[in-house]
Amino acid sequence: MKARCTECGRTYEFELQAGERLDEYECKCGGSLRRIGGSLSDKITKNRNLQIAGICCISFILIVLAGFSSPEYDPTEIKEKAIEVSAAELYSNSIKEGTPVRIRAYVIDSQDGTMRICQTTRDEFGETLDYDRDIMVEGDFQAFYENEEVIVWGIFRGPSSYVTVLGSERTVPLIDNAIVEKTGNRYHM
């Protein structure tokens, strides 16, 4: 270890034995000694801290770069490029995955960021909601009321599965990155 006199500045180099302390020694001039430079353990700790800081910086850069490379969809672009589709087309897989789509439908179930919608069908009894062809919608939106008519713009992701309240698995079309707007109409049973 290296030590320097606080009075005259003379430098000493020596090894302390177990149990010895630097303040037990003094300079030839009578001044007290202060350790200079770091111990090996201090250098190892500094080196380890630098390594950790380096890893953190590299990780941060990688996360930022990954964020820039992930496909973000501009809502305006989705609305401009969206094609009008029906539930039947989404179920038939005639629409290519990744296609911006637009659909007008009614809300069956809704929570913040996810909802199920369906269109109406006509039969001998009149117009009814087609619950057998529900569509999963995910995006950054607030919950809507059931039976509200909405227009959904988003990216068609293909079939997606979920577990129903009764525990069965159901596979339905998924529209992601959705922009949802109310039309002001409601379905009345």
Side-chain angles (χ1 to χ4, degrees), residues 150-162:
V150 293
I151 300 173
V152 175
W153 292 267
I155 306 297
F156 176 60
R157 294 294 179 201
S160 177
S161 297
Y162 69 94

Side-chain angles (χ1 to χ4, degrees), residues 14 19 50 122 129 155:
F14 54 92
L50 285 173
R122 260 201 193 289
L129 290 176
I155 306 297

Side-chain angles (χ1 to χ4, degrees), residues 64-100:
V64 168
L65 289 176
F68 284 127
S69 65
S70 64
E72 285 293 321
Y73 294 95
D74 176 30
T76 306
E77 186 178 335
I78 290 174
K79 282 185 169 184
E80 288 173 357
K81 293 184 177 182
I83 59 169
E84 185 78 30
V85 296
S86 67
E89 290 173 304
L90 296 177
Y91 269 90
S92 71
N93 293 325
S94 62
I95 306 297
K96 182 180 171 190
E97 290 182 23
T99 302

Side-chain angles (χ1 to χ4, degrees), residues 56 60 90 122 154 156 164 178 185:
C56 289
F60 177 75
L90 296 177
R122 260 201 193 289
F156 176 60
T164 68
N185 299 327

